Amino acid sequence: MRDDKQPICTYGGYTCAESYQSSYGFCTLQHMPLDPGGMCRFCIEVKDGSSLNFMNQGMPALVPDSDHLDLTGAFTIFAFVKKTAEQGNSGASREYIVTKQSDYSGKGYWIALIPTGAIGEYDMEFGVYVGSEKFRTARQTVNVPVDEWLHIGVTYSGTALTMYADQVMVSTLMFDDEPPMYNRRNSQPLLVGKDFAGLIDNLLMFDSVRVSDDFVSDSMCPHNLPANNDGGLIAYFRFNEAEGFMTRDASPHGAGGTFGYLGLVCANAPEGNMAMLQCAPGHTISEVLYANFGENDGTCGAYEAGPCALDRQLVEEFVGAACLNHNNCSIPATVSTFNTTLACRATTRTLAINAICKPALSAWSMHTAPTLVGETHLFTDDLFCPFELMDQKIGFEGDDNALPDWLDQTLEDLMMNDAQCGGADTLDSAQTGRPVVFGLRAKDGCGYRSLTSTADDFDATVTYPMIFNVSAMEELETCPDFPQTRFPDIAITVLNGNMEMEGAHPAYCGSWSDVFVMTYTPVFTGQPHMAISYEAGASNADKILVDNLQVDVTFAPISSATSQVIGSIVDEVQDTRSVCEAGVENRVQVVAYDGSGNRIMQHGDAQEIAVHAMQASAVRYHVQNATELGVYNVFITFATSGTFNWEVNLLNDTIYNGTVTCSGAAIRPMDQLNIDFPDARFKHTMVSYHDDLYVFGGAKSDKTYLDATLKFDLGIEENSMYFSYKRIVMVDNMPEEEYNVELHLDTEMLISSGKLKEDCSDLRFFTWEGDSTLPMWLEPSQAPAGCGSSSTSVWIRVPGGMERFWMYYGNKQAKSTSDASSVFGDMFEDFEYTNSPLDMGWTVEDVTSDSCTPDAGYNPGEAASFYTSDLVSMTGTRSLRANIADFLGGSLEKAVPMMKRFTMKVYMYDLKCEGAHFVSPDFKVCQPADPLMGSAQYKAKLPNLDNGVGVYTSSDNDTYCVMYPWHSSTAVREHGWHSFTLRDDDEHLRIVYDEEMVLPLRAADVTTDITKIFLRAARLPDEDFSSVFWDSILITEYNPAVSSAYMEEQPVIFSREARWETVGVQNPPPARQAHTAVVYQTAMYIFAGERSAYQYSDIWRFDFESSSWEFQRPINSFDDLGRSDHSAVVYNHSMFVYGGRSPAALGDFWAYDFESKTWSRMPTSPGMMPRFGHSAAVSHNKMYVYGGYISEEGKLTDEIWSYAFEDMQWTKIGPRTNNFESNGSGDPSDAMLFPQEIPEARLSMTAVITGMEPALYIVGGIGGASMMEEQPDLWKFDIEQLEWKWMASNSLLARYDSAGALIADGSILVLFGGHGDGDFMSDAVFVYVGETGLQQSNH
């Protein structure tokens, strides 16, 4: 409020009185006032100032008559009233809230409260005079609470008259059977509070029927409608003046200066009569507003002087002297009274007076009606992205009103942190680790800016729901009440633009007080709920901004700081070593987490993962999405044996580094278990195209020449998809019928050595013949004998009489085929369903009990006690919950075929609760006993031969108990999953806990037959209620004589998809042997060869895409091209052929251009003797020729020669006897240096050049003193260092005239066929030759 009538700048409607006073200044409105002159730079405190206080003196507020107040059509009237205990009732029969009736006829309209005599009870009356002496009146008893404001409302439509109390309709009177009728005009003033005792505030009148939705905004918000009157507002008295005798009409009709008057008394006496003014008791005349003798028009409060009148100042001074400070006064209405004359003559001359009667106490009360102005209400439409505020200036020019610097900096920081910014439509989603920011432009209930709220007024949180926490439960020592946990609540930080910040200049006029910035950063994924209210615990909807909104918090982008690497070659302790094999694929997994440590449950980041070793080519890797979302399989192959420092990078950051030690690569045969290999042969050729092998020609042991073209599909894609190891599994005393063999396998060792996947999913079992896969079930990793243990239980369904079969593993891309139903059939129960167990073959017994004593009594079964749950599980996603915490419990059983010899294994999740939770294969219904019988008779009725195991806390609360009778064991109870195995050989029953502890029975010779699966859940006397979970129950026949064991490990290459097939059957080349085959573009070219001493010189082309042969007719030809046992390589667009025999040894050199189909004779070296049975390979721009038979010397050679294609020069690399011979030896720097170990001279070996650092590899061949000894070794010649290195010896390599080709980006040499160990061969052998470096795979 202003002080001392200081002029102020007003804005926003007709709520000000002559610029001296305003109940709503600019600080509550939508905009700051414009002040170009800078004369109004101050703030005002604003409030609803007052109400009218009627104090039993019967002096109403009077509003002079006006046509718009006659309400001659539909209308609505609102007002607030407050009856006070101090004032009580006025004593009048009617206490008028508002009336415009004639004092004589009562015609007009009115709203009144009529006391009923009961405290706080009144009849509310609303009446309208509609003409023809007819009144329409409604009356209804209402409760008017003492000392509380009551909103009174009435509407009249012409046919319906309705009354409301506090916006609730209390009465309606319908006149539908009559035509619309409306109030009649009259000249009476509008009286407010006539004969009323109490307070009245905010009187509104409309010339329309307002609907109930408008009542609150109409009555509790100021109306500022200067431009139009869309709402039909015709009178609006807010009674906020707080002093004086005038109250202003704030409606558009009052824009010209319409007022109401408090204590107005009037007189209009005709000339010659007495003008009398009479105030109510306790009032005195305090002011004369109008006094005139002569012509007077208008009515009380609105008199106007005509042209014929005395001097008004004279009259007013005389009336004031006679009446002021008096309760009443009388003045003769004559000219002589005023001691003057009136020259003019008028038809009617009167003395008209308007005066104010002032009460002894103020007619104003500072108790105001409820208002929404200044009362903060929250609306989601007022939410916005506060980044919009940055650099914003509003209102006055200058820095005072700019966005506060501290808030601007806060928003800038949030923007730099990639905060999610938005309004109401963005609140339902968030991302972990990413700030969420939103703004609120606070408004009061009337939509004006709310500048009175502070940040402390808000209660804003994000709360996560409760969830079942298994890990927390396992840490408890006692029975949990199903531990639930939730992530910590997040307090939303609320900042206000007018907050006092150290060093910050406050905003002008609190101009940012209505701006709130709210921010929080979620840490955990989930679906928390957001709640924001104004005042903690607010229940009023207007005080709640966000009401329990579910926020979907998703994970943030993958983070290198929190993501994890797991796998058998990953060191648990930094810098320790683990084991792998060179050339064999390993698998680690990257488990994706966001920056807040949340598991990311989606794929999409494989491209961000990389693996590095100290040497870039020392490791090859590729990344694939794992089955589990957010997990990536990283398949890694180390190039060579030795110890490597290696690391896994994510987003270019190292997330793991350690060392790994790899053994040398094993020589692996291609397993022929399920493959029909072609006939044995030698002197054939084989090439590789897209990792498929193509074989042509050769000769069989019966000297048959071959013309077939064979394709060998290895079943191996770019990345390894084969099994690397196999073992024989032997079964002793295998029955003649199918039997479930239990194999105990040390998977812990296999996993730690990198040979078996961490989840054992690459285990496979095949029949001895390989014609079928054997069904198997692997006990899960959570089980005591699960994957990863030193004695993992693997159950294999083996055909009758099969005493041996195969086990394979070492395929890092294999998926699990473990399937209990294929092994145990209906004798396996894992509760993987959501419907009741009673729908799945289980029954609940009504009378079965573990005891029949009076103490325990009967516990009739309650089916609701047993249901499947996804809280915990051993296999799959569900288990059976036996719940006697919320239900009665009972006995659940399922009949099974009777077995005298059986194994039953069950898994129980123990919560360490009290009660009876046990499993039995033979529990029988006990018979009820008479409670009056002795204890011996009780026991006679008990099932004393039944057997079972589990929890029975009446016997022992700390250990697992065995029945019957119940007794404790040495197996101490622990939270979590545990197994109970009941195994009976028809002579002895054994009960084993967690695979290793045998529990004591009542006697050594206990035996039983299984007839059922019986699960008991019972409350015991004086014990708390509880639950357990059951899962993965299996039953199978048991034969104690049957045992199994696995044999020594064998390295292999095994793919179920590998197959041989014949291709190119149309128009093949003639059969031959000792020819060559090379690959150029998309075709294989074969050249020459021998058949029955005939030396071919032809060229044939096999197209890989169309699988067709075509003879290549050269443009030119030479008689001496025919040959066999020669070499051929491809460089650029040509095939280069060297040596061979025809039948004598040859030393010539030829080039065949594939594009022009022409032959060219190439230069030779005089020091290079003719030879055959040698090998040749190309690296970069050189061809290297090794070994062979030199017939002129009658011996094998171990020479290496190179031919440079660019300068067409031959060089003898060595061994040299003289570096300065002029026979092509060349520069001494090109020679091998000695001493060094070199391979024995040989012929008919296989040679290839491969590797990131290319090297020449030779395998097999024949040599030795007899020149017929099969060489079982692998040698590598380093082309850069000119050094030989022995790599491996293996009997599988002892062969000659074999065929070889490179696959897997040149890292594996496959040998097929040949002659060895005195026989022709038909096998395939895989030789790893990638040790000089591996070519990187694509993601």
Side-chain angles (χ1 to χ4, degrees):
M1 304 295 292
R2 58 100 184 122
D3 294 323
D4 300 326
K5 291 192 176 183
Q6 178 184 8
I8 65 171
C9 303
T10 62
Y11 179 85
Y14 299 91
T15 62
C16 305
E18 299 180 359
S19 299
Y20 287 105
Q21 177 175 293
S22 175
S23 55
Y24 293 95
F26 61 78
C27 288
T28 61
L29 301 182
Q30 294 283 2
H31 304 286
M32 292 291 179
L34 298 177
D35 182 34
M39 301 301 295
C40 223
R41 293 178 67 86
F42 59 87
C43 299
I44 59 174
E45 180 184 353
V46 295
K47 63 180 77 173
D48 263 343
S50 58
S51 61
L52 284 182
N53 185 5
F54 299 94
M55 301 174 295
N56 299 333
Q57 289 89 350
M59 294 294 291
L62 183 148
V63 181
D65 176 48
S66 176
D67 288 346
H68 68 274
L69 296 178
D70 283 331
L71 303 181
T72 56
F75 65 88
T76 299
I77 302 175
F78 295 144
F80 278 101
V81 299
K82 184 178 184 179
K83 301 292 289 183
T84 65
E86 178 184 359
Q87 294 173 327
N89 296 326
S90 67
S93 60
R94 279 181 173 79
E95 297 188 25
Y96 289 96
I97 299 170
V98 63
T99 179
K100 195 174 187 295
Q101 291 175 279
S102 167
D103 288 338
Y104 305 105
S105 66
K107 295 177 181 179
Y109 57 85
W110 70 96
I111 307 171
L113 295 178
I114 303 171
T116 64
I119 297 176
E121 184 179 277
Y122 294 82
D123 284 344
M124 179 178 172
E125 185 179 78
F126 170 34
V128 180
Y129 175 69
V130 295
S132 301
E133 305 303 321
K134 293 181 68 172
F135 290 83
R136 290 181 174 176
T137 306
R139 185 166 174 168
Q140 179 65 44
T141 301
V142 295
N143 180 41
V144 182
V146 177
D147 291 326
E148 293 184 21
W149 285 100
L150 177 71
H151 183 263
I152 296 294
V154 298
T155 64
Y156 181 65
S157 67
T159 59
L161 189 150
T162 307
M163 298 188 299
Y164 298 86
D166 276 345
Q167 293 87 46
V168 177
M169 185 176 67
V170 296
S171 174
T172 185
L173 193 62
M174 305 298 297
F175 302 94
D176 292 339
D177 55 347
E178 300 180 33
M181 303 175 70
Y182 301 100
N183 183 58
R184 299 297 184 177
R185 292 186 182 276
N186 66 26
S187 59
Q188 302 301 316
L190 177 70
L191 301 180
V192 180
K194 177 183 177 183
D195 297 326
F196 189 83
L199 309 181
I200 297 179
D201 203 358
N202 283 0
L203 171 66
L204 294 97
M205 303 174 70
F206 300 84
D207 61 3
S208 62
V209 174
R210 303 292 284 172
V211 296
S212 59
D213 290 345
D214 298 326
F215 288 5
V216 171
S217 60
D218 285 346
S219 297
M220 300 181 73
C221 294
H223 273 258
N224 299 294
L225 304 169
N228 55 59
N229 189 23
D230 293 339
L233 182 67
I234 59 172
Y236 183 15
F237 291 95
R238 303 182 60 202
F239 305 133
N240 286 336
E241 287 75 9
E243 62 181 24
F245 56 84
M246 300 173 64
T247 182
R248 182 174 181 173
D249 179 4
S251 75
H253 283 281
T258 301
F259 294 93
Y261 301 91
L262 279 66
L264 182 69
V265 290
C266 303
N268 192 6
E271 186 174 14
N273 293 325
M274 295 292 291
M276 302 180 64
L277 297 178
Q278 177 66 55
C279 294
H283 290 61
T284 57
I285 298 172
S286 62
E287 191 166 348
V288 176
L289 301 179
Y290 177 91
N292 182 60
F293 182 80
E295 290 182 321
N296 290 285
D297 295 325
T299 60
C300 178
Y303 295 134
E304 294 182 356
C308 180
L310 293 177
D311 184 327
R312 278 187 60 190
Q313 182 178 355
L314 173 68
V315 177
E316 288 177 354
E317 288 178 353
F318 184 89
V319 172
C323 298
L324 290 178
N325 299 318
H326 295 282
N327 176 262
N328 59 79
C329 63
S330 299
I331 301 174
T334 63
V335 174
S336 61
T337 301
F338 303 104
N339 298 317
T340 187
T341 61
L342 182 62
C344 63
R345 303 185 64 85
T347 303
T348 302
R349 296 196 297 189
T350 64
L351 175 58
I353 305 171
N354 287 337
I356 297 299
C357 295
K358 180 179 180 181
L361 300 175
S362 173
W364 299 96
S365 170
M366 298 310 292
H367 296 286
T368 59
T371 178
L372 299 180
V373 173
E375 181 177 329
T376 300
H377 280 214
L378 305 180
F379 306 97
T380 55
D381 289 347
D382 297 328
L383 291 171
F384 68 103
C385 172
F387 292 163
E388 301 169 8
L389 300 174
M390 299 179 69
D391 302 323
Q392 181 176 338
K393 291 178 170 56
I394 61 174
F396 296 110
E397 296 292 331
D399 292 336
D400 284 351
N401 212 39
L403 182 71
D405 290 342
W406 69 267
L407 184 54
D408 185 70
Q409 185 61 53
T410 299
L411 294 175
E412 184 175 340
D413 292 344
L414 287 166
M415 182 177 288
M416 291 295 293
N417 287 326
D418 189 35
Q420 172 184 309
C421 187
D425 57 339
T426 66
L427 293 184
D428 59 354
S429 63
Q431 191 178 79
T432 59
R434 183 185 184 192
V436 176
V437 60
F438 50 96
L440 171 68
R441 291 185 176 93
K443 296 179 181 177
D444 63 21
C446 297
Y448 301 136
R449 296 174 63 192
S450 178
L451 301 174
T452 59
S453 302
T454 68
D456 292 338
D457 294 327
F458 286 85
D459 184 45
T461 57
V462 175
T463 304
Y464 284 83
M466 305 296 286
I467 59 173
F468 187 75
N469 187 348
V470 175
S471 60
M473 183 168 59
E474 293 176 350
E475 296 172 0
L476 299 177
E477 294 297 327
T478 58
C479 175
D481 183 18
F482 281 88
Q484 292 182 321
T485 185
R486 64 179 175 188
F487 301 122
D489 293 349
I490 302 174
I492 299 176
T493 300
V494 182
L495 304 173
N496 178 245
N498 204 42
M499 293 175 68
E500 295 185 7
M501 307 298 288
E502 185 176 352
H505 192 279
Y508 166 69
C509 196
S511 55
W512 291 94
S513 297
D514 62 330
V515 174
F516 293 85
V517 174
M518 304 185 186
T519 181
Y520 74 98
T521 302
V523 177
F524 305 104
T525 57
Q527 293 181 321
H529 291 80
M530 178 187 292
I532 303 177
S533 62
Y534 183 76
E535 301 166 355
S539 58
N540 188 328
D542 296 330
K543 301 293 186 183
I544 298 175
L545 180 64
V546 179
D547 187 11
N548 206 34
L549 173 70
Q550 178 176 297
V551 182
D552 292 325
V553 182
T554 58
F555 25 76
I558 192 170
S559 168
S560 58
T562 54
S563 295
Q564 300 175 0
V565 181
I566 59 175
S568 60
I569 62 170
V570 173
D571 306 330
E572 293 184 3
V573 180
Q574 195 84 352
D575 296 330
T576 62
R577 295 180 179 183
S578 49
V579 179
C580 69
E581 179 185 334
V584 175
E585 196 171 66
N586 303 273
R587 186 192 74 162
V588 299
Q589 291 186 312
V590 174
V591 184
Y593 288 84
D594 65 15
S596 300
N598 298 281
R599 272 288 309 278
I600 295 178
M601 302 305 292
Q602 69 180 23
H603 288 135
D605 295 302
Q607 72 281 359
E608 306 295 346
I609 299 170
V611 177
H612 299 288
M614 185 171 293
Q615 294 173 284
S617 61
V619 62
R620 177 173 63 197
Y621 74 95
H622 64 279
V623 183
Q624 291 181 350
N625 295 335
T627 302
E628 184 177 358
L629 294 176
V631 178
Y632 300 91
N633 291 328
V634 185
F635 299 98
I636 305 170
T637 305
F638 291 94
T640 186
S641 60
T643 299
F644 295 91
N645 293 312
W646 69 290
E647 64 184 32
V648 179
N649 289 354
L650 175 63
L651 301 171
N652 296 320
D653 295 327
T654 300
I655 61 174
Y656 170 80
N657 66 81
T659 59
V660 61
T661 298
C662 295
S663 61
I667 307 299
R668 286 181 157 78
M670 168 61 87
D671 197 275
Q672 300 188 25
L673 184 65
N674 65 323
I675 307 173
D676 293 327
F677 267 69
D679 293 335
R681 66 195 64 203
F682 85 150
K683 289 188 174 293
H684 51 289
T685 55
M686 182 169 70
V687 299
S688 170
Y689 181 74
H690 292 175
D691 280 351
D692 289 329
L693 301 176
Y694 293 83
V695 175
F696 176 76
K700 295 167 59 175
S701 60
D702 62 0
K703 300 184 179 180
T704 301
Y705 290 86
L706 302 170
D707 65 354
T709 307
L710 305 176
K711 177 183 178 182
F712 190 13
D713 183 345
L714 299 173
I716 301 172
E717 303 299 331
E718 176 188 355
N719 305 306
S720 302
M721 294 182 64
Y722 54 81
F723 294 87
S724 299
Y725 308 97
K726 73 175 181 179
R727 294 176 188 258
I728 299 172
V729 179
M730 302 296 299
V731 182
D732 289 338
N733 302 311
M734 178 67 193
E736 293 302 317
E737 302 80 22
E738 271 193 319
Y739 185 77
N740 290 332
V741 172
E742 184 179 16
L743 176 68
H744 295 282
L745 181 64
D746 188 353
T747 59
E748 180 182 28
M749 178 273 295
L750 293 175
I751 292 171
S752 65
S753 63
K755 296 178 178 180
L756 182 67
K757 288 177 66 176
E758 293 79 4
D759 59 0
C760 302
S761 59
D762 52 338
L763 271 178
R764 297 291 189 275
F765 296 90
F766 297 96
T767 60
W768 184 253
E769 296 78 12
D771 53 358
S772 63
T773 305
L774 295 178
M776 54 85 70
W777 183 65
L778 178 76
E779 298 203 11
S781 57
Q782 297 182 79
C787 175
S789 71
S790 60
S791 183
T792 300
S793 286
V794 186
W795 295 85
I796 307 108
R797 187 73 170 168
V798 180
M802 183 176 289
E803 296 182 346
R804 58 182 180 175
F805 52 88
W806 293 104
M807 175 174 69
Y808 289 83
Y809 53 93
N811 183 342
K812 297 308 190 301
Q813 301 197 53
K815 296 180 179 179
S816 176
T817 59
S818 177
D819 180 15
S821 62
S822 66
V823 177
F824 305 106
D826 295 338
M827 307 296 279
F828 182 82
E829 173 63 271
D830 59 356
F831 304 103
E832 291 298 308
Y833 44 81
T834 57
N835 47 334
S836 169
L838 273 64
D839 298 331
M840 308 300 291
W842 293 84
T843 60
V844 171
E845 286 291 339
D846 292 333
V847 296
T848 305
S849 175
D850 61 299
S851 174
C852 296
T853 64
D855 290 339
Y858 286 112
N859 293 332
E862 184 177 7
S865 308
F866 301 95
Y867 54 90
T868 66
S869 167
D870 61 0
L871 295 179
V872 292
S873 64
M874 171 56 68
T875 55
T877 60
R878 306 187 73 82
S879 61
L880 176 74
R881 181 177 178 184
N883 181 0
I884 56 173
D886 303 307
F887 302 100
L888 184 62
S891 302
L892 186 71
E893 67 175 69
K894 188 175 190 178
V896 300
M898 191 273 288
M899 296 182 196
K900 291 185 173 296
R901 301 194 302 182
F902 65 90
T903 295
M904 179 169 75
K905 180 179 285 190
V906 299
Y907 290 93
M908 181 181 76
Y909 194 99
D910 188 6
L911 300 174
K912 288 194 70 175
C913 299
E914 297 176 334
H917 294 283
F918 63 85
V919 61
S920 171
D922 59 3
F923 196 92
K924 292 177 283 294
V925 176
C926 65
Q927 300 302 314
D930 187 339
L932 299 178
M933 298 168 62
S935 61
Q937 292 168 304
Y938 291 153
K939 291 185 178 296
K941 298 291 184 179
L942 296 179
N944 59 349
L945 296 181
D946 290 351
N947 301 280
V949 63
V951 175
Y952 196 80
T953 53
S954 286
S955 179
D956 189 347
N957 194 35
D958 298 323
T959 68
Y960 296 105
C961 298
V962 180
M963 66 178 287
Y964 195 89
W966 284 108
H967 55 277
S968 63
S969 72
T970 56
V972 178
R973 292 180 63 190
E974 295 178 340
H975 282 283
W977 285 108
H978 300 283
S979 68
F980 296 111
T981 304
L982 293 84
R983 185 165 284 150
D984 197 308
D985 61 5
D986 202 24
E987 294 182 358
H988 301 90
L989 172 67
R990 282 165 52 92
I991 300 179
V992 180
Y993 164 72
D994 278 355
E995 308 297 328
E996 57 185 23
M997 185 180 295
V998 179
L999 304 184
L1001 302 180
R1002 59 182 176 271
D1005 58 350
V1006 173
T1007 185
T1008 189
D1009 300 336
I1010 188 169
T1011 58
K1012 65 179 72 174
I1013 307 171
F1014 180 91
L1015 300 175
R1016 177 66 174 160
R1019 301 173 179 176
L1020 298 178
D1022 302 322
E1023 292 188 345
D1024 293 334
F1025 303 158
S1026 64
S1027 292
V1028 300
F1029 298 84
W1030 300 96
D1031 202 2
S1032 304
I1033 302 174
L1034 67 89
I1035 298 172
T1036 187
E1037 182 183 357
Y1038 172 56
N1039 186 335
V1042 178
S1043 64
S1044 61
Y1046 50 89
M1047 303 294 104
E1048 185 177 347
E1049 181 178 86
Q1050 304 174 43
V1052 293
I1053 295 289
F1054 173 64
S1055 171
R1056 290 286 287 176
E1057 287 72 38
R1059 67 185 185 276
W1060 286 93
E1061 61 178 312
T1062 302
V1063 295
V1065 295
Q1066 299 295 324
N1067 189 35
R1072 67 192 68 196
Q1073 67 171 7
H1075 54 285
T1076 54
V1078 297
V1079 174
Y1080 175 68
Q1081 295 181 349
T1082 62
M1084 171 177 68
Y1085 290 79
I1086 68 164
F1087 167 65
E1090 177 270 337
R1091 178 178 181 179
S1092 300
Y1094 177 76
Q1095 304 293 333
Y1096 286 99
S1097 61
D1098 52 352
I1099 300 176
W1100 289 76
R1101 180 182 184 275
F1102 176 79
D1103 187 279
F1104 293 120
E1105 304 301 326
S1106 63
S1107 293
S1108 61
W1109 283 103
E1110 181 183 6
F1111 173 69
Q1112 303 295 288
R1113 188 178 302 277
I1115 299 300
N1116 59 346
S1117 184
F1118 298 88
D1119 293 339
D1120 51 354
L1121 282 174
R1123 68 195 60 215
S1124 59
D1125 288 327
H1126 54 284
S1127 65
V1129 299
V1130 172
Y1131 179 75
N1132 286 344
H1133 303 294
S1134 298
M1135 174 177 66
F1136 292 85
V1137 177
Y1138 176 76
R1141 58 180 171 180
S1142 182
L1146 301 173
D1148 52 352
F1149 187 30
W1150 297 87
Y1152 174 76
D1153 189 303
F1154 291 112
E1155 303 299 325
S1156 65
K1157 297 184 178 182
T1158 58
W1159 283 101
S1160 300
R1161 195 182 297 274
M1162 303 298 291
T1164 60
S1165 171
M1168 190 173 182
M1169 305 288 288
R1171 65 197 64 201
F1172 64 87
H1174 58 282
S1175 295
V1178 172
S1179 175
H1180 299 303
N1181 61 350
K1182 289 183 179 181
M1183 176 180 71
Y1184 294 84
V1185 177
Y1186 170 76
Y1189 179 76
I1190 301 176
S1191 57
E1192 290 184 18
E1193 296 180 351
K1195 66 175 185 179
L1196 302 176
T1197 181
D1198 55 10
E1199 294 175 346
I1200 301 178
W1201 287 77
S1202 69
Y1203 174 77
F1205 291 107
E1206 301 303 321
D1207 56 15
M1208 304 177 68
Q1209 293 294 320
W1210 284 93
T1211 300
K1212 183 179 181 180
I1213 296 175
R1216 296 182 184 179
T1217 58
N1218 187 338
N1219 277 330
F1220 302 98
E1221 294 176 354
S1222 58
N1223 58 2
S1225 296
D1227 194 312
S1229 64
D1230 295 329
M1232 295 166 53
L1233 298 179
F1234 289 87
Q1236 66 169 287
E1237 185 181 6
I1238 64 175
E1240 251 189 284
R1242 64 191 69 196
L1243 82 161
S1244 299
M1245 60 281 166
T1246 301
V1248 293
I1249 290 179
T1250 187
M1252 297 291 288
E1253 298 173 6
L1256 172 68
Y1257 290 84
I1258 63 168
V1259 182
I1262 55 173
S1266 67
M1267 294 191 294
M1268 291 301 294
E1269 297 172 16
E1270 294 152 358
Q1271 303 299 304
D1273 48 7
L1274 167 68
W1275 287 78
K1276 180 185 81 170
F1277 181 71
D1278 188 320
I1279 293 174
E1280 294 295 326
Q1281 300 298 320
L1282 305 179
E1283 291 179 353
W1284 281 103
K1285 180 182 179 182
W1286 173 87
M1287 301 299 297
S1289 290
N1290 191 292
S1291 61
L1292 293 170
L1293 304 180
R1295 64 185 67 207
Y1296 63 93
D1297 284 329
S1298 177
L1302 291 169
I1303 62 169
D1305 295 323
S1307 63
I1308 295 176
L1309 170 62
V1310 182
L1311 303 176
F1312 169 65
H1315 194 282
D1317 196 22
D1319 201 357
F1320 285 72
M1321 309 177 81
S1322 65
D1323 61 341
V1325 176
F1326 285 58
V1327 182
Y1328 177 71
V1329 290
E1331 71 159 19
T1332 65
L1334 295 171
Q1335 204 172 80
Q1336 184 56 50
S1337 300
N1338 295 323
H1339 279 37

